[in-house]
Amino acid sequence: MFGLIGHLTNLEHAQAEADKLGYAEYAKEGFEFWCSAPPILVDEFQVTSVTGAIIHGRYIESCFLPEMLSSRRIKTAIRKILNAMALAQKNKIDITALGGFSSIIFEEFNLKENKQVRNVELEFERFTTGNTHTAYVICRQVEEASAKLGIDLSKATVAVCGATGDIGSAVCRWLDQKTDVADLLLIARNRERLQALQSDLGRGKIMALEEALPLADIIVWVASMPRGVEINNEMLKKPCLLIDGGYPKNLGTKFNHPDIYVLNGGIVEHSLDIDWKIMEIVNMDIPARQMFACFAEAMLLEFEQWHTNFSWGRNQITVEKMEKIGQASVKHGFQPLLSF
Ligand code: NDP
């Protein structure tokens, strides 16, 4: 059995979707209530591969909200993630993906030191961040969407916002090793980590976001921002391809310009329907088929019976592992989302 640990994007979203989670009484409750709410096992479903294999999964809502980080409720955020992991383990789930901010909190606050959650000793090999598959899917989106738009990668400048992160650094490695992309712009706040990445890659220009925006043909957004940034379309090159892999989304702006193309990054579409409710709750366009690539990674590990923390620790993702999970992804019928 595989598991998915997820969360909603903000308090308003959580209140609006509470009844779909099966907890209509949570809808009227405010931030403090959500801070004290325990994790909930919301959904159980099965997924069929195009090979015919069938697996069973469960979704756990952690009741974490990104506002817990911006309002410095760090202990609350940590408790949410550890409790959700303990609940997954108590439910005897073999491999569980830590969606969205769950894995970021795990890494940022070094939760591997917190193995004991009341009477449950967490077995970390039962969890994966799902970031290897997410990075693979984003790179395939860069390659396929640019081809579709007639953007020649060998002449293109690609900016990665969140370049030093787990997903961002993997995307940079892939673009460097597997494509002939002309220029890479590296964006994040911490200068030392940017310099370390630049020296690992042996290329890339470190830039502030405002400097990079007018130069980039393609921008990959994989920064861990609790809220999206507003961007004026005049700052962007035309045409420009924006691939937003953030959850919550990195882009706070909705563009209405014929030469600005925005793609939902890190999303895959399965070839067969899944009878579940969670992707409707997170507003996927085709909820029976589309999902976060990190969730799909848990499914792939279950299909392949690779019960191991395939993606674990920060900045450990290799191009070889991306290729391996990518082959499993294709084999079981998942495709990167390519519709704008
Ligand atoms: P990490 O915490 O590993 O990396 C985050 C990166 O963002 C770092 O480079 C960080 O560097 C940078 N960053 C944070 N804030 C800012 C800012 N204000 N401006 C510029 N850079 C910033 O995160 P992950 O790689 O694990 O995840 C990245 C995003 O992808 C998240 O939004 C996450 O929710 C989403 N995600 C999506 C998945 C999917 O399936 N679609 C799966 C998993 C994650 P610095 O701190 O130095 O600025």
Side-chain angles (χ1 to χ4, degrees), residues 100-101 104 131 134 161-167 188-190 193 222-225 245-247 265-266 292-294 314:
F101 267 89
I104 294 172
N131 286 349
T134 304
C161 180
T164 52
D166 198 33
I167 299 171
R189 294 164 303 179
N190 183 299
R193 285 201 291 261
V222 279
S224 50
M225 298 176 185
Y247 184 80
F292 301 110
C294 63
R314 250 202 191 130

Side-chain angles (χ1 to χ4, degrees), residues 134 138 167 220-223 243-250 263-266:
T134 304
I138 290 174
I167 299 171
V220 175
W221 297 87
V222 279
I243 302 182
D244 189 351
Y247 184 80
K249 289 285 159 220
N250 283 180
L263 195 54
N264 236 337

Side-chain angles (χ1 to χ4, degrees), residues 27-82:
K28 291 184 239 67
E29 304 290 348
F31 182 61
E32 287 305 320
F33 177 89
W34 285 87
C35 283
S36 58
I40 324 166
L41 206 160
V42 170
D43 210 358
E44 298 193 37
F45 36 80
Q46 66 176 44
V47 182
T48 307
S49 159
V50 290
T51 64
I54 295 175
I55 53 171
H56 296 271
R58 291 177 169 174
Y59 173 75
I60 291 171
E61 169 56 50
S62 67
C63 291
F64 162 80
L65 296 174
E67 289 97 325
M68 290 170 193
L69 295 180
S70 40
S71 58
R72 300 189 187 280
R73 298 290 288 267
I74 306 300
K75 280 191 183 156
T76 304
I78 290 174
R79 185 164 41 79
K80 296 278 167 192
I81 304 313
L82 291 173

